[in-house]
Amino acid sequence: MTAEAIERKMMKKALGQILVTLSLLASSASCLAGSGSDMGPAHRYEHQLNTISMMEAGTLVGKEGVYFFDVNTLELWAEGYIPGAIYFNVKDWKKLLPANKDALMVFYCANRLCNASEVAAHSVMKMGYTNVKQMPDGIYGWRLANRVTERP
């Protein structure tokens, strides 16, 4: 192969890479983060969320006056939940709450990447419940620690 042929081949390859890059840039120009709305500060809750370790939560399972709320999907709930936990992901979840607003309530979802239990805990605190905790490790952390679970 001659030097001229090698140079043409390299030019074609470089041109192809440039065209791919330009097409990717053109297609991404219409994509806006946050659905195109104006940027603003992250949502701030009026209440400070209290977390609870899995070890501490484990000492509370089965105790009278302590409520565990599982805020996972129904499929994840069916795979197993903390013994005595109440499935929270329902439309009329307010009916599940204890009458005593000082009762200890522990909310959990899947793991540290899931924030459903945080949202639920904040919602309950907004209603005036004072002893609300959130367990960040969730049911996956619970299972990984070989803790006992129940199934529906």
Side-chain angles (χ1 to χ4, degrees):
M1 190 179 263
T2 66
E4 192 175 291
I6 293 173
E7 190 175 327
R8 269 194 300 242
K9 190 174 181 180
M10 288 175 57
M11 290 287 279
K12 280 185 177 180
K13 186 176 179 181
L15 183 59
Q17 289 175 339
I18 290 170
L19 289 174
V20 168
T21 302
L22 289 174
S23 67
L24 288 172
L25 286 172
S27 67
S28 67
S30 63
C31 298
L32 299 171
S35 303
S37 61
D38 292 334
M39 289 183 62
H43 179 76
R44 289 185 183 252
Y45 290 101
E46 69 180 80
H47 300 98
Q48 176 68 33
L49 186 63
N50 297 311
T51 58
I52 186 170
S53 71
M54 190 172 34
M55 184 159 311
E56 187 182 354
T59 66
L60 299 172
V61 173
K63 291 200 173 177
E64 191 172 331
V66 179
Y67 300 86
F68 281 82
F69 291 100
D70 187 308
V71 194
N72 286 303
T73 63
L74 193 54
E75 293 81 11
L76 197 52
W77 163 263
E79 292 174 11
Y81 51 88
I82 294 175
I86 301 164
Y87 182 66
F88 192 78
N89 206 356
V90 295
K91 286 183 182 181
D92 57 349
W93 57 266
K94 291 179 182 176
K95 293 179 182 178
L96 303 173
L97 302 175
N100 178 5
K101 296 222 176 189
D102 295 325
L104 176 55
M105 298 188 291
V106 179
F107 288 82
Y108 69 92
C109 50
N111 55 30
R112 291 181 178 271
L113 298 176
C114 176
N115 72 337
S117 60
E118 292 177 28
V119 172
H122 280 295
S123 296
V124 168
M125 290 166 67
K126 198 173 186 178
M127 294 173 61
Y129 286 87
T130 59
N131 202 1
V132 179
K133 300 198 182 283
Q134 188 261 343
M135 189 181 78
D137 292 316
I139 194 63
Y140 285 138
W142 189 268
R143 289 183 197 151
L144 284 171
N146 291 319
R147 295 185 180 268
V148 175
T149 59
E150 291 181 345
R151 289 183 180 234

